[in-house]
Amino acid sequence: MQQKTKLFLQVLKYSIPQLGKCMQKQPLNHCNFADHYYNRIKLKKYHLTKYLQNKPKISELARNIPSRSFSCKDLQPVKQENEKPLPENMDAFEKVRTRLETQPQEEYEIINVEVKHGGFVYYQEGCCLVRSKDEEADNDNYEVLFNLEELKLDQPFIDCIRVAPDEKYVAAKIRTEDSEASTCVVIKLSDQPVMEASFPNVSSFEWVKDEEDEDVLFYTFQRNLRCNDVYRATFGDNKRNERFYTEKDPSYFVFLYLTKDSRFLTMNIMNKMTSEVWLIDGLSPWDPPVLIQKRIYGVLYYVEHRDDELYILTNVGEPTEFKLMRTAADTPAIMNWDLFFTMKRNTKVIDLDMFKDHCVLFLKHSNLLYVNVIGLADDSVRSLKLPPWACGFIMDTNSDPKNCPFQLCSPIRPPKYYTYKFAEGKLFEETGHEDPITKTSRVLRLEAKSKDGKLVPMTIFHKTDSEDLQKKPLLVHVYGAYGMDLKMNFRPERRVLVDDGWILAYCHVRGGGELGLQWHADGRLTKKLNGLADLEACIKTLHGQGFSQPSLTTLTAFSAGGVLAGALCNSNPELLRAVTLEAPFLDVLNTMMDTTLPLTLEELEEWGNPSSDEKYRNYIKRYCPYQNIKPQHYPSIHITAYENDERVPLKGIVSYTEKLKEAIMEHTKDTGEGYQAPNIILDIQPGGNHVIEDSHKKITAQIKFLYEELGLDSTSVFEDLKKYLKF
């Protein structure tokens, strides 16, 4: 079976690209989960002596993809001597486990998107789309299918791959780092592969096969950050390309998802509050689609299929958190949905995966990760609490019905493999070397009490042997919008900071999604100030419990996280010494009043409509960073903006910066001699992407800024950074 990304991750990672100013580049209640692609971590046969003695280099952790930020060109693979072949009848998990146990000194390698289909693996190698036989995927023995340089793009990379059912065609979506525009190319697979077609501005796409064994490609077309049109195309002698569906409501977008068993192609029409799903028969794609349930305001639902039954993850009913329901595929309407499984209070559904006899739910409950394995034959439930260091899942696409593999990671720890074996009912973890960060650092889960009594979770990292934490620098992370979790994926620059004595604090404030749908609802519209109160409470709690002090406290945020960060700089600047912002949303009022911007209509459910409702206009004025700038002391602020960013227009960031500098100049004049004015830096980067996460220039500029503002020696941290980043 073609390898597929999971239901929630796949559907919801595309909700923010169309709807939110919170898009990072790489899945529930309108969250962005990870990037436009999924990185997979696997083991590569390199010696680990250096890895165990020192901090691992990203150049030793990453495949050489020119469009990405890391390189492993300098790594030379070590020849494996006396390596015994593995038995033919050994299942996939046992093969991996055996290799892990017999080769304990292997290391991580970060690989871009890849797809397994039949006996081949499809992936990007250098500037080419290639495929190799599955058993030879690590031997550099591959067939080149398409050279990305033919598109004449600047450092292109493959964002998504889909292989036609009979492997006659492969489609790949290609992007560049500095733009959100994409091109989908269709390659005909033959002795000499050729590009059959290319389509601009494609968002999601899937293959199905009709009754005549003809491959049909369905795809969505994105225009001005909106995705409202669905097309279907065929190739070869019967070539055609026709529009299949157009969504008339501009506040909705359309996304395609193929159920894991390939039985149905689902057409998901959704906005921040409401969804509607149509089923396209995977065996008869020319038949009219079937509506599951007409959109009902406030009702979200997502669909998987197994054995003529639909499994529906939905918030319908009380409480308005997600629950799992099911119904017969031929009676899909909401009145036929039967409750199958409910979540505990304060639970966020991260993802869902469907197997022949099991359904696996990936959950976050009270800020800790769990996996629930539901037996579909007997409705049994096995709940597994995952290691407390783990902060995020990386879903591993899988066609093996016996095993459910996934990876766990944290901001300072590279991903680690885990596999649940259904037959044994046990969770197995990757063996081999143990990352040294596990012994040299601590992760703490604390809570801060906000002014209304609500307990706000925090995740804190620091060195185990740190003495007098009150004198250590602190970097606070915040987001708090769109029901989106703070990004907790591995970041090498964060690990370097912890190694250098920094404390990292991730504040999971209301407006985010860490505790479920209600946590988001309590921090949006006219409750947005709850997120600001939560952030203030978190920082004060950290200081009160001996974690750093205001003169050593810094704050970082990106995109919509800039709203709370900017608001805190206005309301409580004395809590902070320095702030770094990336593509920050700082002028909420003027942006939401401008209906000509592509995302304004989609944003109304998060911020309200200040153009038509005075209640929202007055409320936004209370917290909008731009509107509340005044002559007072401010922390130093470093802002990274992107020249052609369509999600957060540069105009608003420039206006904020100019107004802030004027207020600081006025305050400096009134204060008199001896006052040291803060530094306000606006770094405008070229390109049209919203956030370029792996930019070396951005990373080094931000870290340099923080060290200089705190008066710290940055010599050692930049030496360590050179081990991770390829300069």
Side-chain angles (χ1 to χ4, degrees):
M1 179 186 290
Q2 179 179 343
Q3 186 170 329
K4 300 180 182 71
T5 43
K6 308 297 185 288
L7 171 66
F8 258 149
L9 281 173
Q10 185 69 342
V11 171
L12 290 164
K13 73 172 182 168
Y14 283 91
S15 65
I16 291 303
Q18 314 308 324
L19 297 175
K21 296 179 177 66
C22 59
M23 182 61 193
Q24 300 167 39
K25 287 198 323 198
Q26 168 40 163
L28 175 48
N29 62 355
H30 319 301
C31 315
N32 170 34
F33 291 44
D35 300 333
H36 279 283
Y37 54 89
Y38 294 107
N39 284 337
R40 186 170 73 82
I41 310 299
K42 65 185 292 187
L43 292 162
K44 193 169 180 68
K45 300 173 184 176
Y46 296 144
H47 277 308
L48 251 192
T49 306
K50 254 168 107 179
Y51 183 96
L52 295 170
Q53 292 174 346
N54 305 303
K55 292 180 287 291
K57 301 178 183 179
I58 283 295
S59 61
E60 297 169 346
L61 302 181
R63 170 172 287 190
N64 176 27
I65 304 295
S67 60
R68 311 309 296 151
S69 301
F70 311 124
S71 172
C72 63
K73 288 181 179 179
D74 53 337
L75 265 184
Q76 297 300 319
V78 178
K79 183 178 180 180
Q80 302 295 309
E81 297 181 359
N82 302 322
E83 186 175 6
K84 296 180 179 180
L86 299 175
E88 289 292 329
N89 59 354
M90 185 179 292
D91 71 25
F93 173 76
E94 289 300 336
K95 288 181 180 180
V96 172
R97 185 179 180 187
T98 300
R99 289 193 180 104
L100 289 170
E101 292 174 346
T102 57
Q103 298 165 0
Q105 287 192 329
E106 295 181 330
E107 67 176 19
Y108 289 108
E109 177 192 31
I110 301 177
I111 298 179
N112 258 20
V113 61
E114 67 175 37
V115 162
K116 292 182 180 178
H117 187 97
F120 290 92
V121 179
Y122 295 77
Y123 56 96
Q124 180 174 343
E125 183 68 37
C127 284
C128 296
L129 169 64
V130 304
R131 70 172 176 180
S132 61
K133 292 184 178 179
D134 196 359
E135 64 273 13
E136 298 176 354
D138 292 327
N139 297 334
D140 292 331
N141 184 17
Y142 51 78
E143 174 190 8
V144 174
L145 304 178
F146 179 69
N147 188 337
L148 275 59
E149 293 180 341
E150 292 184 25
L151 298 177
K152 301 189 183 305
L153 300 173
D154 182 25
Q155 292 190 321
F157 67 90
I158 296 176
D159 186 61
C160 185
I161 299 173
R162 292 288 182 266
V163 184
D166 286 340
E167 220 157 355
K168 297 177 183 177
Y169 299 95
V170 59
K173 185 170 73 170
I174 300 166
R175 297 180 55 237
T176 63
E177 194 68 80
D178 63 355
S179 173
E180 294 192 46
S182 63
T183 299
C184 179
V185 297
V186 177
I187 308 301
K188 183 177 181 180
L189 300 175
S190 59
D191 293 338
Q192 293 185 340
V194 295
M195 185 172 71
E196 184 82 7
S198 66
F199 306 109
N201 300 318
V202 169
S203 178
S204 57
F205 57 105
E206 297 285 357
W207 290 99
V208 294
K209 186 170 65 172
D210 67 11
E211 304 91 324
E212 305 297 326
D213 287 338
E214 185 174 38
D215 294 312
V216 184
L217 180 70
F218 284 79
Y219 65 93
T220 55
F221 178 76
Q222 180 172 300
R223 182 188 295 109
N224 295 327
L225 300 181
R226 296 175 179 173
C227 196
N228 301 120
D229 296 317
V230 181
Y231 287 80
R232 59 185 173 190
T234 57
F235 309 95
D237 296 334
N238 188 25
K239 183 177 292 186
R240 54 181 158 176
N241 185 29
E242 61 187 21
R243 186 160 57 182
F244 174 73
Y245 174 84
T246 296
E247 173 55 39
K248 302 296 185 183
D249 189 331
S251 70
Y252 284 77
F253 72 96
V254 187
F255 177 81
L256 301 173
Y257 168 75
L258 190 65
T259 58
K260 190 173 181 181
D261 61 4
S262 300
R263 182 63 184 84
F264 291 104
L265 175 62
T266 64
M267 187 168 65
N268 301 268
I269 306 164
M270 56 195 300
N271 64 16
K272 282 183 166 53
M273 296 296 298
T274 306
S275 62
E276 175 180 288
V277 182
W278 294 73
L279 295 179
I280 299 169
D281 193 326
L283 302 177
S284 302
W286 302 105
D287 291 349
V290 175
L291 174 64
I292 292 182
Q293 173 58 47
K294 185 178 180 179
R295 62 193 76 171
I296 302 172
Y297 179 79
V299 173
L300 293 163
Y301 69 99
Y302 313 91
V303 178
E304 255 293 1
H305 176 265
R306 169 192 171 272
D307 287 351
D308 296 326
E309 286 188 314
L310 301 178
Y311 287 79
I312 302 167
L313 205 51
T314 178
N315 67 336
V316 69
E318 294 294 334
T320 54
E321 297 290 345
F322 278 97
K323 51 195 73 72
L324 190 59
M325 308 185 86
R326 64 181 172 186
T327 184
D330 57 358
T331 56
I334 194 169
M335 73 280 296
N336 300 309
W337 298 0
D338 293 325
L339 184 62
F340 181 58
F341 183 78
T342 57
M343 317 300 166
K344 292 181 180 179
R345 186 172 171 269
N346 292 335
T347 297
K348 166 74 175 283
V349 180
I350 304 295
D351 209 347
L352 174 151
D353 197 7
M354 188 66 66
F355 294 83
K356 182 177 182 295
D357 298 316
H358 298 85
C359 175
V360 180
L361 291 170
F362 299 87
L363 308 172
K364 180 182 288 186
H365 173 65
S366 296
N367 206 27
L368 292 170
L369 300 186
Y370 291 78
V371 168
N372 279 11
V373 182
I374 305 173
L376 300 178
D378 56 6
D379 292 351
S380 61
V381 179
R382 181 174 175 81
S383 184
L384 305 171
K385 185 177 181 180
L386 299 173
W389 64 262
C391 300
F393 291 102
I394 298 177
M395 303 304 158
D396 201 300
T397 48
N398 175 47
S399 58
D400 182 356
K402 300 178 182 179
N403 306 310
C404 178
F406 58 91
Q407 298 168 71
L408 299 177
C409 64
S410 85
I412 64 172
R413 180 168 176 166
K416 184 173 185 178
Y417 262 117
Y418 288 79
T419 299
Y420 185 83
K421 297 200 73 174
F422 297 118
E424 299 181 30
K426 293 180 180 179
L427 184 67
F428 293 85
E429 69 176 297
E430 164 199 325
T431 57
H433 76 274
E434 189 66 28
D435 194 305
I437 198 72
T438 59
K439 296 182 179 179
T440 61
S441 68
R442 288 185 69 191
V443 56
L444 302 173
R445 313 285 178 150
L446 302 180
E447 291 180 322
K449 181 177 286 189
S450 197
K451 63 182 181 182
D452 62 355
K454 188 70 70 173
L455 295 178
V456 184
M458 297 182 288
T459 308
I460 297 147
F461 303 89
H462 68 82
K463 285 184 73 173
T464 305
D465 59 358
S466 289
E467 298 179 358
D468 199 357
L469 290 171
Q470 194 171 17
K471 296 181 180 179
K472 298 297 182 182
L474 167 67
L475 179 59
V476 177
H477 298 70
V478 71
Y479 190 78
Y482 304 109
M484 173 183 170
D485 294 7
L486 264 174
K487 284 202 73 176
M488 303 288 282
N489 59 313
F490 173 64
R491 297 301 310 163
E493 65 272 20
R494 299 299 182 236
R495 177 161 175 160
V496 165
L497 291 178
V498 170
D499 287 338
D500 202 42
W502 284 68
I503 304 164
L504 304 184
Y506 290 76
C507 302
H508 309 292
V509 303
R510 280 174 283 185
E514 286 86 348
L515 299 183
L517 293 177
Q518 191 60 48
W519 197 248
H520 173 218
D522 288 343
R524 69 183 186 93
L525 297 177
T526 56
K527 296 182 179 180
K528 184 61 70 174
L529 282 167
N530 284 341
L532 177 59
D534 292 352
L535 178 58
E536 293 176 358
C538 286
I539 296 176
K540 290 177 180 178
T541 298
L542 289 166
H543 292 163
Q545 296 194 17
F547 294 98
S548 195
Q549 54 188 286
S551 63
L552 292 172
T553 297
T554 64
L555 175 65
T556 185
F558 77 94
S559 195
V563 174
L564 296 184
L568 184 66
C569 291
N570 289 327
S571 65
N572 275 285
E574 68 279 358
L575 292 177
L576 305 168
R577 178 65 185 87
V579 177
T580 65
L581 302 173
E582 184 176 6
F585 188 29
L586 297 166
D587 190 0
V588 182
L589 184 61
N590 288 325
T591 300
M592 294 307 299
M593 296 277 285
D594 187 352
T595 57
T596 65
L597 295 175
L599 295 179
T600 297
L601 291 176
E602 290 90 334
E603 297 296 307
L604 297 179
E605 294 291 351
E606 183 70 23
W607 312 101
N609 190 345
S611 295
S612 62
D613 194 324
E614 187 176 0
K615 174 184 69 174
Y616 290 122
R617 183 163 61 252
N618 292 335
Y619 189 83
I620 290 173
K621 286 180 179 179
R622 293 171 59 188
Y623 67 81
C624 175
Y626 176 81
Q627 297 294 326
N628 289 280
I629 294 174
K630 52 186 175 289
Q632 64 171 20
H633 174 72
Y634 278 90
S636 293
I637 303 176
H638 182 285
I639 302 174
T640 305
Y642 298 95
E643 189 174 19
N644 299 313
D645 190 340
E646 294 182 85
R647 301 185 183 279
V648 179
L650 181 61
K651 177 183 176 182
I653 298 175
V654 171
S655 297
Y656 170 87
T657 304
E658 292 175 348
K659 185 176 181 180
L660 181 61
K661 287 182 176 181
E662 291 174 0
I664 290 171
M665 288 178 61
E666 184 177 345
H667 178 67
T668 302
K669 182 179 178 181
D670 294 342
T671 305
E673 294 184 7
Y675 175 71
Q676 184 175 355
N679 293 311
I680 307 299
I681 300 172
L682 175 57
D683 180 13
I684 300 176
Q685 298 286 325
N689 210 341
H690 181 44
V691 173
I692 303 177
E693 187 175 31
D694 297 331
S695 166
H696 296 178
K697 182 179 179 181
K698 178 201 71 179
I699 291 170
T700 54
Q702 290 177 346
I703 290 180
K704 181 175 182 289
F705 171 79
L706 293 177
Y707 272 78
E708 288 179 349
E709 290 300 322
L710 270 59
L712 302 176
D713 183 3
S714 61
T715 304
S716 62
V717 76
F718 278 109
E719 287 300 317
D720 286 342
L721 267 178
K722 289 178 182 178
K723 299 175 183 178
Y724 285 93
L725 304 180
K726 191 74 175 177
F727 288 93

